Amino acid sequence: MSTETTPAYSPGLAGVIAGETQICWVDPNAGLMYRGYDIHEMAQQASFEEVAYLLLNGEIPSAKQLTDFTQQIAAQRELPAPVVKMLRLLPRDVHPMDMLRTGVSMLSMFDRELGDNSHAANIRKSIRLIARVSTLITDGWRISQGEEPLPEKKRDLTQAGNFFYKLTGSVPQDWQIRMLDTIFILYADHEFNASTFAARVTASTLAGIYAAVTSACGTLKGPLHGGANEESMKMLEEIKTPDRAESWLKKKLAAKEKIMGFGHRVYKKGDSRVPVMREIGRDLGRRTGKEQWIPICEKLEEAMGREKHLCANVDLYAAPVFWMLGFPPQLNTPIFAASRVAGWCAHVVEQHDNNRLIRPRSLYTGPPARPYHSVSSNGAASSEQ
Ligand code: COA
């Protein structure tokens, strides 16, 4: 008989502290800090590059450090030619997240520092990953639409501005860049969310940063995580108008269906990012004349609060925001990835800098010990002969 004591078990690791981090703190009471800075203070003013630098290096950059970092990212955007060739081989209807996961995996083989997990090499590879995840998304999308990728000509554009440009061929207006910067900042990190945890588990075996980010891309795609922002748009399109929201919701809840864009493992009093995303949505509604989407979300919020006491998460509002910015819904989760790659990389750097293998236990619920009879002594097996 085993003398092992049964450790505490929490399904889905709910409430379990699985590691330490200095990168990000999610306050269950609707707060979020990156390295001690409240994201609400940064979201409206900082650039995504400033936040990515902070996540990776621990401090806000000086003006010169920010310029250098921004230029380093811009200089690394171009994909190796064989990776572009691979994108052309994929089926046209492949999901952009599958394309991205495969692209990140392939990129690893073109990085001369692949096998170097030192802090300095990990930071350099993070810069390349932040730059090229965006390019994989924009170039992959254009190829899947039968269009040619645009050359990397706009080094003066930031990641947010370049994302618009590489997708559409037009340089966006300043307010569009500001909005996408804010969205990228909101999505950049969220402590031990599923994809980041997947990245850290992979990194903890001393596999490299590309393997970790590949794991993270695979994990982000699921609809309970990053995939929710694509599913939320399908839901809003089905509802169509605010007056239909409550009855639609009640029908889905009666059928015991999950409502995308609601609920969260950590936040119980609201998602810290929702008020900022909702405000962007209202602004976009006015600018684009598509004023129905945010009121649908608000009606759903009210009804969901009454029916299930569940709060909206950021993906509910991200869906119409991306739509009004002109992005197709299949790119919702990849846009999340274009930002979260900064957080994934920061966590891999932190994991490698102070590594211990992440290897939990499981609670065995299979059959009790029983005698084994080999196939040769088994009646059924011999009757087959
Ligand atoms: N729609 C309907 N019911 C929901 C729900 C949702 N979006 N989210 C949670 N619930 C219900 C569960 O069914 C459960 O009800 P029960 O106690 O009657 O069984 C209860 O609320 C607790 O939920 P639980 O599944 O234990 O929460 P979790 O912490 O395991 O899951 C999520 C968190 C995010 C996976 C979950 O809320 C969800 O699936 N949300 C929709 C997907 C989504 O928006 N994901 C993005 C997250 S940022």
Side-chain angles (χ1 to χ4, degrees), residues 223-225 228 253 257-265 304 308 310 313 315:
L224 298 190
H225 187 17
L253 289 178
E257 286 188 34
K258 276 253 169 109
I259 312 299
M260 292 294 126
F262 282 91
H264 198 275
R265 177 57 66 75
M304 196 68 165
K308 294 280 282 184
L310 283 172
N313 61 55
D315 292 323

Side-chain angles (χ1 to χ4, degrees), residues 48 95-97 99-100 130 133-134 137-138 141 159-160 163-164 167 179-188 220 226 229-230 277 315 318-319 321-342 344:
F48 168 65
H95 193 282
M97 280 306 295
M99 178 276 300
L100 177 62
I130 290 169
V133 158
S134 267
I137 298 164
T138 54
W141 178 255
Q159 283 300 94
F163 191 85
F164 279 104
L167 210 56
M179 270 184 193
L180 193 55
D181 255 327
T182 300
I183 293 162
F184 278 173
I185 290 169
L186 294 181
Y187 267 132
L220 187 72
N229 61 11
E230 181 179 344
M277 197 65 94
D315 292 323
V321 160
F322 293 157
W323 183 237
M324 289 187 278
L325 278 172
F327 301 125
Q330 299 97 304
L331 288 184
N332 289 5
T333 313
I335 292 169
F336 184 164
S339 156
R340 183 60 58 86
V341 63
W344 292 333

